[in-house]
């Protein structure tokens, strides 16, 4: 879902001669039928003006695509800004930009986590580079226009108010910063961000790639299915026995024969230790491998963490 879509020329005009935050707020209400908080409106006002400064470069084509608040498949999250175009070799690229108004943060020992002031106090949140990388990974995993249409997603994070302090760019976060480069306050990082953009979307696409993304079918990619399958292969703790196998096959059959006209619901009951989790994970992997969209939802954090750890980076 695209909230605001324009080319660079129109985007800069809206920043210079219109109140860009009001333009996007109007578009958001038209597209979603919902309102946004004043905090989000203020973030558009501030952060998009900084991005406009970055895009004011004659070597970045006037007709590259600019989208604000692109919806991420399989989530309720939205990408702050997506830029689309071609590199010098003619490859299709989109640059995902995570924008933050942060000025300070504290390091956390947890993987990909920082502590910063949000709302009424300090909170643990994901590192901006992790956030940008994870959004790009979801597009690569679920948007058919990306994994089958030859669109390469290039993530980055831009913290335009944050002076380099050795915390947000600490070595502890280097794995994610390498995947999604981090750009901070100042002209030097602004120039670095310009070069990053020009490397990937120097030439315009007249917004075509943004519309490809928006209309791309949402289904799991083969790479995602293969990763899930590899997680379970040769793992005795995931082997199905007795009634588990019987229920597994019956549920698969129901899923594959279901349709919008004839939906099906399967409820599986069992006490603690009867293998509901093993069954659920096997079903998720098999449904994903079959090209269907499977989701694993649990109030128990322990298994979620195991699967997240096993799949991270793949």
């Amino acid at each position: 879902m695209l909230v605001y879509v324009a080319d660079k020329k129109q985007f800069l005009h809206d920043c210079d001669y219109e109140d860009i935050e009001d333009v996007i707020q109007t578009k958001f209400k038209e597209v979603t039928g919902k309102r946004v908080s004043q905090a989000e409106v203020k973030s558009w006002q501030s952060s998009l003006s900084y991005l406009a400064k970055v895009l004011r470069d004659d070597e970045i084509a006037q007709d590259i695509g600019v989208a604000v608040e692109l919806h991420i498949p399989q989530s309720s999250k939205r990408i702050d800004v997506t830029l689309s175009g071609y590199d010098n070799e003619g490859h299709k690229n989109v640059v995902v930009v995570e924008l933050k108004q942060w000025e300070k943060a504290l390091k956390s020992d947890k993987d990909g986590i920082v502590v910063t002031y949000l709302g009424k106090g300090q909170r643990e949140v994901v590192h901006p580079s992790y956030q940008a990388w994870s959004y790009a990974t979801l597009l690569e995993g679920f948007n058919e226009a990306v994994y089958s249409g030859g669109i390469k997603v290039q993530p980055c994070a831009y913290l335009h108010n944050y002076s380099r302090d050795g915390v947000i760019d600490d070595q502890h976060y280097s794995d994610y910063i390498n995947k999604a480069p981090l750009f901070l306050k100042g002209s030097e990082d602004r120039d670095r961000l310009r070069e990053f953009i020009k490397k990937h979307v120097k030439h315009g696409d007249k917004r075509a790639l943004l519309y490809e993304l928006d209309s791309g079918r949402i289904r799991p990619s083969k790479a995602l299915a293969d990763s899930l399958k590899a997680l379970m292969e040769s793992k005795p703790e995931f082997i199905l026995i007795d009634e588990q196998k019987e229920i597994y096959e019956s549920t698969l059959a129901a899923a594959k024969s279901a349709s919008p006209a004839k939906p099906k619901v399967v409820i599986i009951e069992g006490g603690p230790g009867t293998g509901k989790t093993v069954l659920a994970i096997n079903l998720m992997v098999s449904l994903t491998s079959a090209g269907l969209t499977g989701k694993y939802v649990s109030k128990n954090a322990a298994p979620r963490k195991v699967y997240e750890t096993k799949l991270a980076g793949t």
Side-chain angles (χ1 to χ4, degrees):
M1 178 178 67
L2 293 168
V3 171
Y4 170 93
V5 59
D7 56 22
K8 172 189 150 181
K9 182 178 180 181
Q10 181 64 49
F11 173 72
L12 293 182
H13 174 274
D14 290 343
C15 287
D16 292 341
Y17 300 105
E18 307 287 343
D19 292 323
I20 184 66
E21 68 277 12
D22 291 339
V23 174
I24 296 173
Q25 188 175 22
T26 299
K27 293 287 186 182
F28 191 93
K29 188 175 180 181
E30 289 176 358
V31 172
T32 69
K34 300 177 181 178
R35 297 182 180 273
V36 294
S37 67
Q38 280 304 303
E40 189 161 11
V41 173
K42 288 181 179 178
S43 73
W44 290 334
Q45 181 183 38
S46 175
S47 294
L48 293 177
S49 66
Y50 278 93
L51 183 66
K53 293 178 183 178
V54 174
L55 294 180
R56 287 191 177 93
D57 185 312
D58 291 340
E59 293 183 7
I60 301 175
Q62 292 281 69
D63 58 348
I64 68 166
V66 181
V68 180
E69 305 296 341
L70 172 66
H71 180 249
I72 303 170
Q74 303 305 308
S75 78
S76 60
K77 302 296 184 180
R78 293 174 266 119
I79 297 172
D80 290 336
V81 173
T82 308
L83 306 174
S84 65
Y86 303 97
D87 61 19
N88 276 331
E89 286 71 46
H91 299 134
K92 298 178 178 180
N93 285 313
V94 295
V95 173
V96 167
V97 186
E98 179 62 28
L99 296 168
K100 299 291 187 192
Q101 299 183 79
W102 300 0
E103 296 181 2
K104 290 292 179 184
L106 299 174
K107 179 183 171 184
S108 168
D109 291 334
K110 297 177 181 177
D111 181 61
I113 299 295
V114 295
V115 179
T116 191
Y117 185 88
L118 290 176
K120 297 181 179 180
Q122 289 185 337
R123 283 177 49 197
E124 285 190 339
V125 294
V126 295
H127 188 282
S129 288
Y130 178 95
Q131 189 173 4
W133 165 74
S134 66
Y135 287 177
T137 302
L138 275 176
L139 287 176
E140 292 166 346
F142 284 97
N143 192 307
E144 197 170 37
V146 175
Y147 63 77
S148 295
I151 300 175
K152 185 69 175 176
V153 185
Q154 310 287 350
C156 67
Y158 184 29
L159 282 63
H160 47 80
N161 292 333
Y162 198 115
S163 298
R164 195 169 296 277
D165 61 358
V167 175
I168 199 72
D169 52 344
D170 186 87
Q171 183 68 23
H172 179 62
Y173 304 111
S174 61
D175 285 349
Y176 300 115
I177 294 174
N178 288 336
K179 294 172 182 175
L182 179 68
F183 304 100
L184 303 177
K185 181 179 180 179
S187 59
E188 183 176 339
D189 271 36
R190 186 163 59 242
D191 289 342
R192 287 179 54 240
L193 177 54
R194 278 198 189 107
E195 292 306 312
F196 179 82
I197 292 171
K198 286 189 284 187
K199 178 181 178 181
H200 300 298
V201 292
K202 185 173 183 177
H203 306 290
D205 65 323
K206 297 181 173 62
R207 298 173 281 184
L209 298 182
L210 295 176
Y211 292 124
E212 282 189 41
L213 278 182
D214 189 44
S215 61
R217 188 162 53 157
I218 304 305
R219 57 180 298 192
S221 68
K222 183 179 183 300
L224 176 61
D226 289 346
S227 293
L228 289 170
K229 187 177 180 181
L231 170 66
M232 300 188 58
E233 286 180 344
S234 303
K235 299 291 193 302
E237 59 269 32
F238 289 132
I239 298 300
L240 298 169
I241 59 173
D242 300 335
E243 293 91 347
Q244 295 172 359
K245 175 65 172 172
E246 297 167 12
I247 295 170
Y248 166 82
E249 293 296 340
S250 295
T251 307
L252 272 188
K256 291 177 180 178
S257 64
S259 69
K262 293 185 178 181
K264 296 187 178 181
V265 176
V266 178
I267 299 174
I268 302 164
E269 295 181 301
T274 54
K276 297 187 300 300
T277 297
V278 172
L279 182 56
I281 296 303
N282 273 277
L283 285 169
M284 181 183 71
V285 172
S286 295
L287 292 170
T288 302
S289 298
L292 301 173
T293 300
K295 295 183 181 181
Y296 177 80
V297 182
S298 172
K299 65 180 181 180
N300 188 346
R304 290 202 307 269
K305 189 61 181 177
V306 171
Y307 310 135
E308 178 187 344
T309 301
K310 293 289 186 182
L311 291 169
T314 65

